[in-house]
Amino acid sequence: MNKSNKISTSIARPTTVAIKKAAGILRHGGIVAFPTETVYGLGANALDPKAVKKIFKAKGRPSDNPLIVHIADRSELSKFVLEIPLVARKLIAKFWPGPLTLVFKKSSAIPAIVSAGLNTVAIRMPRHPVAVALIRAGGVPLAAPSANSSTRPSPTQAMHVYDDLKGKLEMIIDGGSTDIGIESTVLDLTTKIPTILRPGAITEEMLLKILPKIRLAKKIKIAKSPGMKYKHYAPKTPVWLFTGTDDAKRTQQIFRAAFEKNRKKKFCLILNGHSSYLEEQGVFLLGSSHAEVAKNIYHALRRADTYGAHAIIVEGLPEKGMAKAIMNRLRKAAIKLIK
């Protein structure tokens, strides 16, 4: 560590040697960023309160915002929760490994700092091979929120992590761009009716094929999951989100806002459409499917932030399926909603 108390941050490809080195850092109480199928995570040994505290410090994250614990094998779950109800076993059989986080009553093995002092814990089993290899090599579960500065768009590439957290962690494992691009679905199994605390790629429609009934969290009294209580996912440039369901009207409103009412101001536009991600002169086309939009949205917000614009104008989506998760993130990022 140098005189400014900054750490030298290295970026490494996910070789066997690099994963072994990262695992050693974790076992010795350090923090490491690594790819999952959703976004990059900032991991620490979930059973070591001092190591977990480093996550909060590096991110500038409030201590009452709980973390998700990542495991590599289903057999590990019983160590960290009081019971695994039948409904959980059905969900795990269908969706693990994958982007579904489940909230249980926690066992005494989980330190209070991980769960923000609550008697619950959020746990998932990622399917990304690098994440799984790292957890197994380290031999400990990983508490891992997204590897970005608190409130910023989540990282979907290693350089996003570096831009936010260089000098605050020892190592970033570069596994390329993440596949899904938004955080996992969080489902609370400690309520009478299972409750979606955060939507994600495992949609309400998919869950209802397993569960007879689901509730959506609305008013937040106690945050059992990340992404519920505080501003999230926001670039430095103000985001204006157009949420109307009429496509023609929404397009007209967007272009009026950017080019008619504010002619002397510079805007970035983030729009849907086209078969793949494109960027040209501050206009971003995210893709023609919800999966493409989800994969590209955080990168587009970060890139748009570099243009020095007055605002980033984002075209919303009709809230069906995975679009509910995308719009959940955009609503939290936006300072202005236009219907």
Side-chain angles (χ1 to χ4, degrees), residues 16-336:
T16 301
V17 172
I19 289 173
K20 184 177 180 180
K21 179 181 177 182
I25 292 170
L26 293 167
R27 283 195 299 271
H28 288 88
I31 54 177
V32 171
F34 62 96
T36 76
E37 69 274 20
T38 56
V39 299
Y40 274 74
L42 181 62
N45 178 356
L47 308 182
D48 181 347
K50 290 182 179 179
V52 174
K53 189 175 181 179
K54 293 177 183 179
I55 292 176
F56 287 92
K57 183 178 180 181
K59 284 176 61 72
R61 182 185 180 95
S63 61
D64 61 346
N65 197 0
L67 306 177
I68 293 173
V69 174
H70 293 65
I71 61 176
D73 293 286
R74 297 174 186 179
S75 60
E76 297 174 18
L77 180 60
S78 60
K79 302 175 187 176
F80 310 122
V81 305
L82 293 182
E83 64 172 332
I84 307 172
L86 178 60
V87 65
R89 296 180 188 279
K90 290 180 179 179
L91 291 164
I92 288 167
K94 178 67 175 177
F95 297 114
W96 278 17
L100 176 65
T101 296
L102 300 175
V103 177
F104 301 88
K105 296 287 187 181
K106 78 179 187 72
S107 75
S108 59
I110 300 295
I113 190 173
V114 172
S115 58
L118 302 175
N119 66 350
T120 56
V121 62
I123 299 182
R124 91 175 182 98
M125 181 179 168
R127 69 168 182 243
H128 196 290
V130 174
V132 173
L134 179 62
I135 297 167
R136 288 179 175 163
V140 292
L142 297 184
S146 55
N148 56 302
S149 296
S150 190
T151 79
R152 292 276 289 151
S154 297
T156 56
Q157 299 176 12
M159 285 308 299
H160 296 164
V161 182
Y162 189 80
D163 289 343
D164 277 14
L165 300 180
K166 61 181 178 291
K168 297 181 179 180
L169 75 166
E170 292 179 60
M171 189 174 183
I172 301 166
I173 302 177
D174 184 358
S177 296
T178 59
D179 292 333
I180 295 174
I182 57 173
E183 302 80 0
S184 63
T185 303
V186 180
L187 184 68
D188 186 359
L189 299 180
T190 68
T191 52
K192 186 174 182 180
I193 299 171
T195 304
I196 294 178
L197 303 182
R198 182 178 69 187
I202 305 300
T203 65
E204 180 182 359
E205 293 82 359
M206 293 164 71
L207 292 170
L208 283 171
K209 292 180 179 179
I210 305 292
L211 306 173
K213 194 173 182 180
I214 293 175
R215 192 165 64 90
L216 302 178
K218 293 182 180 179
K219 292 184 179 180
I220 300 167
K221 294 181 180 179
I222 299 174
K224 296 182 184 179
S225 161
M228 294 185 70
K229 193 171 182 181
Y230 296 97
K231 180 183 178 183
H232 281 73
Y233 322 119
K236 296 174 183 177
T237 308
V239 172
W240 296 1
L241 176 60
F242 286 75
T243 63
T245 56
D246 184 316
D247 289 351
K249 183 179 178 182
R250 187 174 64 245
T251 301
Q252 184 181 46
Q253 287 176 319
I254 289 170
F255 280 88
R256 281 188 65 199
F259 302 117
E260 293 180 25
K261 290 186 177 181
N262 301 282
R263 291 183 181 180
K264 294 183 180 180
K265 295 176 180 177
K266 181 180 177 181
F267 291 87
C268 284
L269 300 180
I270 297 180
L271 307 173
N272 307 312
H274 209 275
S275 59
S276 60
Y277 175 86
L278 291 174
E279 173 192 347
E280 186 174 348
Q281 296 179 345
V283 178
F284 302 79
L285 300 176
L286 298 184
S288 57
S289 69
H290 292 168
E292 287 179 318
V293 173
K295 184 171 183 174
N296 294 319
I297 187 62
Y298 287 146
H299 178 66
L301 286 171
R302 284 177 173 269
R303 285 288 300 132
D305 219 6
T306 68
Y307 278 77
H310 173 72
I312 301 168
I313 293 177
V314 182
E315 180 184 13
L317 292 163
E319 297 191 42
K320 297 178 181 179
M322 194 173 177
K324 290 180 183 178
I326 297 166
M327 290 297 289
N328 168 270
R329 308 313 194 265
L330 290 174
R331 288 178 188 277
K332 291 181 181 294
I335 66 163
K336 188 173 183 178

